[in-house]
Structures are given as structure tokens and as C-alpha cells.
Amino acid sequence: MNHKYAHILYNDKEYLTPKKATFDHRTKAGFMTTWSTDHASLLLKEKYWNCLSAFGLESAMRRKISFERKHSDTNLLYFKYELEVPDSLEGYFDATVVGAVSRHLSIRETTEEVYKMLRDYADGSLKFNDQIISSWLGEKVSSLYLENREKSELENALLKYGETIVSKILWNVYNGDLPRMGKDLSSMVYLYTEMLDLALSV
């Protein structure tokens, strides 16, 4: 169990935490182990729950969960879920790129910096050009002690990650709606962190 992850299930009347939860992004389904048979019975009886998932202090995301059935192990339940962010975000996840960035830097901070550049560009206080990007890349890697190969790998990953947010996610997922994308930043970071961990565990 990865103790960096925390999940809270809640509805209008109750809230509880599972012992373990696993989410399959391909099928939008998963399974959950509860701490007691009473918890399992409650979840199955109410069926529809909200789930707030968090990764340390880095990020958080909400899902809507529908419990389907119980395993022969009385504390294991199967469920289906829906994201509260656009499903199409998952299509822009690149395990190689996110993995390279996360080995050295905070995905949350990196994502927020790209968003801030977009916001500054939108209000006219920033003009995107090669010098701005080079300066940003330089600042991100200058404090890290990396070999030339690692430095080049990180710079390429940062550039690809930034380009994905600026030219693909903003326009293809959010139709250019920068404030709406901004509200989903934490969820996007959580989603990519969880997808990366799942990719690495395969």
C-alpha cells in the first residue's frame, strides 16, 4: 500500500476511509478493501459515493463512485467510477515525460509555473518566445546536480510537458478556457501522478 495516497469516501450522511483502493484508468473501475464488514455493507447499501483522493500535499482529485458487488472476501468491493475532470486529460498523459520530470522536480510546481506563464500571457504581461522558454528551463535545472545526459533528458521532458499543456490540453480539453483549466490543475497533477505510479508498477 502506498501511504502517500489518501482516499475519503463521503455522501450527504456519512464519510469513511478505505483500507486500500485501486483504480483502473482503462476500464474506469476498481476495487476497494474496507476496514470492517460494517463499512463494506454500508458502502454497498448506499452504492453511490464521492471519493476525494489526495497525494500527500501535492494534489487532490474527486471521483464519483458506484459500488457494484462484493467479493467472497466480505471486505472487498468492486466499483465503477467517473472523473470530475474531462476524461480526455488521460489521453495526454505520457509516462516517459511525466516520469522524467517527477524524478527531479515537483509535478505540481512545474504545472503551476506553466499555468502562470499562460495567465501572464493572457493578461499581456508576458510574450512567449524562445528566450522565455530557455530562461524557464534554465532556472528549473540550474540548482540540480545532473550529468549532461540527465540534464538534457530533463530539459526535453520539461519542454514536452509544457508544450502539451499549452498547445494540447488548454485547447483540445478546455477549448481555450484558461480559468477552467486552472481550477482543474490539482486534479490533473493527481491524475498524472496516479497514472505514473500505475505505469511503473506494471
Side-chain angles (χ1 to χ4, degrees), residues 181-196:
M181 187 179 81
K183 291 178 181 177
D184 285 351
L185 282 189
S186 182
S187 296
M188 182 171 73
V189 171
Y190 177 90
L191 181 65
Y192 287 175
T193 301
E194 188 175 81
M195 291 179 75
L196 178 63

Side-chain angles (χ1 to χ4, degrees), residues 67-158:
F67 286 97
E68 299 290 307
R69 59 190 173 87
K70 182 171 61 174
H71 189 266
S72 55
D73 176 347
T74 54
N75 292 351
L76 179 61
L77 301 174
Y78 295 97
F79 60 83
K80 292 181 179 179
Y81 72 87
E82 295 177 6
L83 298 175
E84 289 195 354
V85 293
D87 289 339
S88 53
L89 270 176
E90 294 179 345
Y92 295 102
F93 169 75
D94 185 320
T96 301
V97 169
V98 176
V101 174
S102 68
R103 275 195 294 275
H104 304 287
L105 300 166
S106 162
I107 291 292
R108 177 185 60 80
E109 289 179 4
T110 302
T111 305
E112 288 176 349
E113 286 171 10
V114 174
Y115 176 73
K116 184 179 185 305
M117 283 192 283
L118 281 168
R119 197 176 57 195
D120 290 346
Y121 173 76
D123 67 21
S125 61
L126 173 70
K127 293 183 178 179
F128 269 114
N129 54 45
D130 291 341
Q131 184 177 354
I132 291 292
I133 300 300
S134 296
S135 176
W136 176 66
L137 288 173
E139 288 178 10
K140 294 297 288 180
V141 301
S142 62
S143 62
L144 302 173
Y145 296 98
L146 300 173
E147 296 179 358
N148 288 337
R149 181 186 59 80
E150 287 181 310
K151 181 179 179 181
S152 177
E153 180 185 74
L154 177 58
E155 287 177 341
N156 287 334
L158 279 169

